[in-house]
Short mmCIF file of all heavy atoms in Angstrom, two decimals:
data_model
loop_
_atom_site.label_atom_id
_atom_site.label_comp_id
_atom_site.label_asym_id
_atom_site.label_seq_id
_atom_site.Cartn_x
_atom_site.Cartn_y
_atom_site.Cartn_z
N GLU A 19 -57.02 15.91 -29.96
CA GLU A 19 -56.00 16.95 -29.78
C GLU A 19 -55.05 16.60 -28.65
O GLU A 19 -53.84 16.82 -28.74
CB GLU A 19 -56.67 18.30 -29.52
CG GLU A 19 -57.28 18.93 -30.76
CD GLU A 19 -56.28 19.08 -31.90
OE1 GLU A 19 -55.17 19.60 -31.65
OE2 GLU A 19 -56.61 18.67 -33.03
N THR A 70 -41.37 -5.11 -13.15
CA THR A 70 -42.08 -5.99 -14.08
C THR A 70 -41.68 -5.80 -15.54
O THR A 70 -42.22 -6.49 -16.41
CB THR A 70 -43.60 -5.77 -13.94
OG1 THR A 70 -43.90 -4.37 -14.09
CG2 THR A 70 -44.08 -6.23 -12.57
N PRO A 143 -40.72 20.73 -16.06
CA PRO A 143 -41.51 20.08 -15.01
C PRO A 143 -40.82 18.82 -14.51
O PRO A 143 -40.29 18.03 -15.31
CB PRO A 143 -42.83 19.73 -15.70
CG PRO A 143 -42.88 20.60 -16.91
CD PRO A 143 -41.46 20.79 -17.34
N PHE A 159 -42.99 19.36 -9.37
CA PHE A 159 -42.18 20.55 -9.10
C PHE A 159 -41.83 21.25 -10.41
O PHE A 159 -41.94 20.69 -11.49
CB PHE A 159 -40.89 20.16 -8.38
CG PHE A 159 -41.11 19.41 -7.09
CD1 PHE A 159 -40.52 18.17 -6.86
CD2 PHE A 159 -41.92 19.94 -6.11
CE1 PHE A 159 -40.72 17.49 -5.68
CE2 PHE A 159 -42.14 19.26 -4.91
CZ PHE A 159 -41.53 18.02 -4.70
N GLN A 208 -51.21 14.12 -17.81
CA GLN A 208 -51.99 15.34 -17.58
C GLN A 208 -51.23 16.58 -18.04
O GLN A 208 -51.80 17.47 -18.69
CB GLN A 208 -52.33 15.46 -16.09
CG GLN A 208 -53.43 14.53 -15.62
CD GLN A 208 -53.79 14.81 -14.18
OE1 GLN A 208 -53.02 14.53 -13.26
NE2 GLN A 208 -54.96 15.39 -13.97
N PHE A 213 -54.79 18.26 -19.39
CA PHE A 213 -56.10 18.02 -18.79
C PHE A 213 -55.98 17.82 -17.28
O PHE A 213 -54.91 17.53 -16.76
CB PHE A 213 -56.80 16.82 -19.44
CG PHE A 213 -56.18 15.48 -19.12
CD1 PHE A 213 -56.58 14.76 -18.00
CD2 PHE A 213 -55.20 14.94 -19.94
CE1 PHE A 213 -56.02 13.52 -17.70
CE2 PHE A 213 -54.64 13.70 -19.66
CZ PHE A 213 -55.05 12.99 -18.54
N GLU A 215 -56.10 18.31 -13.10
CA GLU A 215 -55.39 19.16 -12.15
C GLU A 215 -54.17 18.42 -11.62
O GLU A 215 -54.26 17.70 -10.63
CB GLU A 215 -56.31 19.56 -11.00
CG GLU A 215 -57.51 20.39 -11.42
CD GLU A 215 -58.36 20.83 -10.24
OE1 GLU A 215 -57.85 20.79 -9.08
OE2 GLU A 215 -59.51 21.21 -10.46
#
Side-chain angles (χ1 to χ4, degrees):
E19 285 304 311
T70 53
F159 303 125
Q208 284 185 290
F213 70 89
E215 297 183 18

